[in-house]
Amino acid sequence: MARKRFDDSNCSVARALNQVGDWWSLLIVLHAMYGTRRFVDFQQELGIAKNILCDRLARLVDNGVLKKVDVGEHGSRFEYRLTEKGRDLFPVVIALRQWGDKWNPAPDEAPLDLRDRATGQPIQTVQVQNIEGDPVTVRDVFVSGDAVPGSKKDTA
Amino acid sequence: MARKRFDDSNCSVARALNQVGDWWSLLIVLHAMYGTRRFVDFQQELGIAKNILCDRLARLVDNGVLKKVDVGEHGSRFEYRLTEKGRDLFPVVIALRQWGDKWNPAPDEAPLDLRDRATGQPIQTVQVQNIEGDPVTVRDVFVSGDAVPGSKKDTA
DNA sequence: TAAATAGAGTTGCGTTAAGAGACCAAATTA
DNA sequence: TAATTTGGTCTCTTAACGCAACTCTATTTA
């Protein structure tokens, strides 16, 4: 978290990072995807300070990633649930998880094995695909409208 | 950027965020993917303070995301190039970009149109797929080895 | 050859945000 | 009624960010 914000950046990645680009926000979203909904559960699972958690949850709600639901049961009771916008971060989170599993594997532990409920099989590695479904790397793409596609990035 | 680090977390997402989870690092990687390699270019394109840029570049090099290459041409000259590990962040960056384009579109500007060099066609939306290639959402997956798959997260 | 410029940092300083822990209030449970 | 749970606020310390100025080397330019 820093001083400079990117709300008005013309780069959608920067704007996205503005909403979920700090350490905690994406972890909160991740845990929400795993089923966590309550303030105390987030706090205990993440080991985050309460004031920071308050701030992050409120910001995520403001940004429409989570919605705060009053559930009248026991204690002061609210639930933070993913919105469609929040659930739509699934590919981002999974891509990040797979990248972490690949390049920074836990020394002791096996990576989390996510499986499709329908087939019982592991999910695929998230990849960028072209129109035909073939995987493409950063070297295979160009920005449409660019002056000279391929002038710089093809040797990165 | 905060105090708490996650180097030893048993969550690969947390460990990944530890390496590229601050605002600047992913933007640096993004620009590197677009072809930026020089210190001054990063600085001007990102509008980042030089000391912060120094720190982030060094950290990304330490983490193996970038490599620092001495190019003996003019001036004190170095280039920061993506490693395979860095290039492997492509799906993460693209997924984030697409999420940003979808949920926080620029008021004036059209989203960046990335196209496949081979076909000239736009790339697909990044998605999580099951073994058969069908897209799955967060509600369609469970953690293998979990006690009761489907007990909590299917109503998130 | 001297001066100016550019690349890549480093250092110092003020501002802002993160983190820990204490405290608080409503609603529940015992 | 007392104790607990839940969700949140307050203060204080520390760390990170951002700016500007400075360094150092190599390369142009005059």
Side-chain angles (χ1 to χ4, degrees):
Chain A
M1 201 56 47
R3 188 136 31 116
K4 190 169 281 191
R5 308 308 291 262
F6 298 107
D7 306 274
D8 55 346
S9 172
N10 61 349
C11 173
S12 62
V13 176
R15 292 197 309 278
L17 288 174
N18 208 32
Q19 301 200 348
V20 293
D22 64 297
W23 288 5
W24 290 121
S25 296
L26 254 194
L27 286 181
I28 290 172
V29 169
L30 171 73
H31 280 247
M33 287 180 178
Y34 289 166
T36 304
R37 293 177 178 179
R38 308 298 293 269
F39 187 92
V40 283
D41 293 332
F42 281 115
Q43 206 211 327
Q44 288 173 2
E45 292 172 13
L46 294 169
I48 184 176
K50 294 170 81 174
N51 50 351
I52 306 299
L53 179 58
C54 273
D55 179 78
R56 286 312 115 83
L57 287 173
R59 186 179 302 172
L60 288 169
V61 169
D62 281 347
N63 289 334
V65 175
L66 296 177
K67 57 175 178 285
K68 186 173 182 177
V69 180
D70 194 330
V71 293
E73 285 171 9
H74 40 278
S76 311
R77 66 242 100 203
F78 299 99
E79 284 189 358
Y80 295 89
R81 300 189 195 167
L82 288 169
T83 62
E84 192 197 341
K85 180 177 178 180
R87 264 179 262 119
D88 230 17
L89 281 168
F90 190 52
V92 176
V93 170
I94 296 303
L96 202 55
R97 164 176 292 293
Q98 290 173 343
W99 183 82
D101 284 336
K102 176 175 179 180
W103 292 101
N104 309 294
D108 47 349
E109 210 161 346
L112 206 61
D113 184 14
L114 279 182
R115 286 165 180 268
D116 178 23
R117 217 180 278 281
T119 67
Q121 297 296 309
I123 58 173
Q124 287 191 33
T125 301
V126 173
Q127 54 191 8
V128 183
Q129 297 176 330
N130 67 10
I131 202 78
E132 292 159 7
D134 301 319
V136 295
T137 72
V138 66
R139 312 205 211 208
D140 299 319
V141 300
F142 66 97
V143 179
S144 176
D146 245 9
V148 185
S151 63
K152 298 171 68 182
K153 72 181 72 63
D154 52 356
T155 52
Chain B
M1 199 57 49
R3 189 135 31 116
K4 189 169 281 191
R5 308 308 292 264
F6 298 107
D7 306 274
D8 56 347
S9 172
N10 61 346
C11 172
S12 61
V13 176
R15 292 196 309 277
L17 289 174
N18 207 33
Q19 301 199 348
V20 293
D22 64 298
W23 287 5
W24 289 122
S25 296
L26 253 196
L27 287 180
I28 290 173
V29 169
L30 172 73
H31 280 248
M33 286 180 178
Y34 289 166
T36 304
R37 292 177 180 178
R38 306 298 292 270
F39 186 93
V40 282
D41 294 332
F42 281 116
Q43 207 210 326
Q44 287 172 2
E45 292 172 13
L46 294 169
I48 184 177
K50 294 170 81 173
N51 51 349
I52 307 298
L53 179 58
C54 273
D55 180 77
R56 287 310 115 87
L57 287 174
R59 186 177 302 173
L60 288 170
V61 169
D62 281 346
N63 289 333
V65 174
L66 296 177
K67 57 175 177 282
K68 186 173 182 176
V69 180
D70 194 330
V71 293
E73 285 171 9
H74 40 279
S76 310
R77 64 240 104 198
F78 299 99
E79 284 188 357
Y80 295 89
R81 301 188 195 168
L82 288 168
T83 61
E84 192 197 339
K85 181 177 179 180
R87 264 178 263 121
D88 230 18
L89 281 167
F90 191 51
V92 175
V93 170
I94 296 304
L96 203 55
R97 164 175 292 292
Q98 291 173 342
W99 183 82
D101 284 336
K102 177 175 179 181
W103 292 100
N104 310 294
D108 47 349
E109 211 161 344
L112 205 61
D113 184 15
L114 279 182
R115 286 166 179 266
D116 178 23
R117 215 179 281 281
T119 66
Q121 296 297 308
I123 58 174
Q124 287 191 34
T125 300
V126 173
Q127 53 191 8
V128 182
Q129 298 176 329
N130 66 12
I131 202 79
E132 291 159 8
D134 302 318
V136 295
T137 72
V138 66
R139 312 205 211 209
D140 299 319
V141 300
F142 67 96
V143 179
S144 176
D146 243 10
V148 185
S151 63
K152 297 170 69 182
K153 72 180 73 61
D154 52 357
T155 52

